[in-house]
Amino acid sequence: MTQEQPAKQRFNKIVLVAFGGPSSSGKTTSAAAIKSLFKHAILIHLDDFYIADSKIPIDSATGYQNWDCPEALDFNLFENYLKKLKSGQGLEEKLESRQPSVDLKLNQEEEQLLLNKIQLKIPDSETTLFILVDGFMLFHDPKILELFDVNLFFRASFETLRDRRESRDGYNTVEGFWVDPPHYFEKIVWPAFVSSHKYLFENEDINSKLLDNIKSSYKLHDIINENGSNLIDLVGWSIDNIAQDIN
Ligand SMILES: Nc1ncnc2c1ncn2[C@@H]1O[C@H](COP(=O)(O)OP(=O)(O)OP(=O)(O)O)[C@@H](O)[C@H]1O
Ligand SMILES: [Mg+2]
């Protein structure tokens, strides 16, 4: 009987790819599509690292729980977990996820086109393990940002994000299910995103361009995902940037 090699030895390379950006920007949709294309890929959701529901900070102005600030997450646990995976340990352990499945998917023809692209641009993809990390708070702190080999920043306008967010039923939490109260996006979600990400932008304006020195020093790539954008383009762009940053 042949013994299976430990996970660490089966891969020539382990790369961590961040799918960051505000809520409803298309991170989970894009990351799930990419996962289906790579031979060896794990998808990790930052949303699985929330602290207990009863400990979520309360926003003093509205009295609402603030699920969108960094303090709502256990970053120590998250950081240690990613470091362990990156070093090739714990790869066999399955982390139970509370994430629902996605509603936007690639069709067969699109998948084939993208598989060809991967073969061409990432020739060693079959011996590489891709750890795909999906989260709304991956770029607020350079200490977290620097954990990744590739940083993909999904963006969209306030209006698009609000409309997408408001059409969602809610979110599974550690202890239950969260449904946004009225105006939660403009009162909590958007301001939390702006205050934690404005340092990345020209004139601290979230609607402006990323600062050139930030883009180059953190190798941060951004894309606008409005409703006219196609999933195949988002995924193709992700593959191009992964290929560029890991080869
Ligand atoms: N280009 C697009 N056109 C139309 N709908 C889109 C597009 N991109 C994403 N969506 C839809 O927007 C919603 C949010 O997308 P998704 O769940 O991927 O966002 P997210 O960034 O993971 O958000 P969160 O941080 O809240 O989990 C989904 O219903 C998805 O199908
Ligand atoms: Mg998501």
Side-chain angles (χ1 to χ4, degrees), residues 78-119:
F78 180 65
E79 190 181 343
N80 290 336
Y81 182 67
L82 292 189
K83 284 185 173 159
K84 193 170 141 191
L85 293 182
K86 175 79 182 173
S87 73
Q89 294 171 293
L91 295 171
E92 295 85 357
E93 296 157 24
K94 263 225 162 340
L95 183 74
E96 276 308 312
S97 179
R98 286 181 290 272
Q99 289 287 306
S101 60
V102 293
D103 46 27
L104 257 184
K105 291 189 178 150
L106 298 165
N107 65 36
Q108 258 187 345
E109 196 184 326
E110 291 173 328
E111 273 188 1
Q112 195 50 57
L113 284 169
L114 291 164
L115 286 170
N116 296 345
K117 189 192 218 0
I118 289 175
Q119 229 177 19

Side-chain angles (χ1 to χ4, degrees), residues 186-199:
E186 58 264 40
K187 288 196 157 55
I188 304 286
V189 180
W190 183 253
F193 167 67
V194 172
S195 71
S196 51
H197 290 76
K198 63 184 181 194
Y199 80 101

Side-chain angles (χ1 to χ4, degrees), residues 183-219:
H183 306 291
Y184 193 74
F185 183 83
E186 58 264 40
K187 288 196 157 55
I188 304 286
V189 180
W190 183 253
F193 167 67
V194 172
S195 71
S196 51
H197 290 76
K198 63 184 181 194
Y199 80 101
L200 301 166
F201 289 86
E202 286 182 356
N203 305 315
E204 299 205 333
D205 174 3
I206 214 89
N207 297 310
S208 180
K209 283 171 42 190
L210 289 171
L211 286 161
D212 284 339
N213 67 321
I214 293 273
K215 272 190 98 144
S216 56
S217 57
Y218 295 133
K219 292 206 285 183

Side-chain angles (χ1 to χ4, degrees), residues 27-28 47 99 134 168:
K27 305 177 295 291
T28 306
D47 283 10
Q99 289 287 306
D134 155 35
R168 292 174 74 144

